[in-house]
Amino acid sequence: SDPQEVLLSTSTSLFEYLERLPHRMLRAMYALPAPRGPTVAAAVLRSSCITDMARQCALRLVACGGSFKVGLIVEGWIHRHGRRDALLALRRMESMGILEPTLGLASRPGEDVDEEAEAEDDKRANLMGKDACLTPEFRDSMKLYLATSSSSPWPIIEREQIDAFKKNGGDIKSEGKEGKKEKPSRDPPTRKELDAYTQSSWDSVL
């Protein structure tokens, strides 16, 4: 059987599944027409797939035009005690299709992974002179996401729909012979209900 299919079939969460997708598929998801592509890009940026430092670097790169010298990122953007974390952040960004695969830091699950020491020592001089470049798909989607006034991947409710809803009494009056609608419970949802809702929402996006 295909090792890639085996990896995908054993994923235990949505983001673990995304981590195991080939780069071309991740980039194709970022390139989906708005609002789906920008929503996927923003969700990955918020997820556990990348580190807090990677989120900061990704947003700065979006604001800086999409590319920056690795040496300037590590030495200028990051505190001197966080250089090791900076390389890890770049690796995670590269593995999730956020950065172009030109740094040679990332590997996908199931591939041979270079030792972190090798990335820091043997490749350090060459790495510092390279440019960290956002993939066009992620860059364009994040720019669109940050520039839009809506964070929802679903169509915006039009003013006419709101007016019609108010005219019909909203959720107070019901149609037919049912009389007044029973108000839903205000009890907070359980963890299981939240997980089911989140999975259903992601299925709608993807």
Side-chain angles (χ1 to χ4, degrees):
S1 59
D2 187 353
Q4 182 68 45
E5 291 183 2
V6 173
L7 282 171
L8 293 175
S9 65
T10 56
S11 302
T12 58
S13 69
L14 175 63
F15 290 115
E16 185 178 346
Y17 179 85
L18 291 177
E19 285 184 278
R20 297 179 177 188
L21 285 175
H23 278 145
R24 59 180 177 79
M25 295 186 68
L26 279 169
R27 294 175 67 160
M29 291 173 65
Y30 298 146
L32 288 170
R36 290 178 294 168
T39 302
V40 172
V44 169
L45 195 66
R46 294 190 185 112
S47 74
S48 59
C49 296
I50 61 175
T51 64
D52 289 339
M53 190 175 292
R55 293 185 189 96
Q56 291 294 323
C57 289
L59 290 173
R60 289 191 181 194
L61 284 170
V62 171
C64 291
S67 65
F68 218 72
K69 287 288 184 185
V70 172
L72 294 177
I73 293 175
V74 175
E75 303 294 338
W77 289 3
I78 311 300
H79 190 276
R80 61 188 180 89
H81 295 302
R83 291 172 185 170
R84 185 183 183 91
D85 293 333
L87 294 177
L88 175 60
L90 294 174
R91 172 182 291 181
R92 297 302 298 145
M93 292 167 67
E94 199 174 55
S95 70
M96 291 306 298
I98 296 174
L99 288 180
E100 294 281 6
T102 56
L103 304 182
L105 291 174
S107 61
R108 307 300 290 165
E111 299 176 352
D112 292 333
V113 180
D114 293 336
E115 292 297 327
E116 207 165 296
E118 181 183 354
E120 288 185 344
D121 299 332
D122 298 344
K123 298 181 180 180
R124 184 178 180 84
N126 184 39
L127 181 63
M128 293 300 109
K130 291 184 177 181
D131 287 332
C133 301
L134 294 176
T135 57
E137 298 85 354
F138 182 86
R139 180 196 64 216
D140 294 345
S141 286
M142 276 308 302
K143 287 175 67 175
L144 184 58
Y145 182 86
L146 293 172
T148 186
S149 59
S150 173
S151 60
S152 172
W154 292 278
I156 297 174
I157 299 175
E158 301 293 336
R159 170 56 61 183
E160 292 77 9
Q161 294 173 291
I162 297 175
D163 293 340
F165 180 79
K166 290 180 178 179
K167 183 178 180 180
N168 294 329
D171 62 348
I172 298 177
K173 296 180 181 179
S174 60
E175 298 179 1
K177 301 179 181 180
E178 296 296 329
K180 292 185 178 180
K181 291 184 179 178
E182 183 179 352
K183 291 185 178 180
S185 171
R186 293 185 179 273
D187 294 335
T190 63
R191 180 181 292 273
K192 186 176 181 180
E193 290 172 335
L194 286 174
D195 289 342
Y197 174 77
T198 303
Q199 184 66 54
S200 174
S201 299
W202 262 106
D203 289 342
S204 298
V205 173
L206 301 178

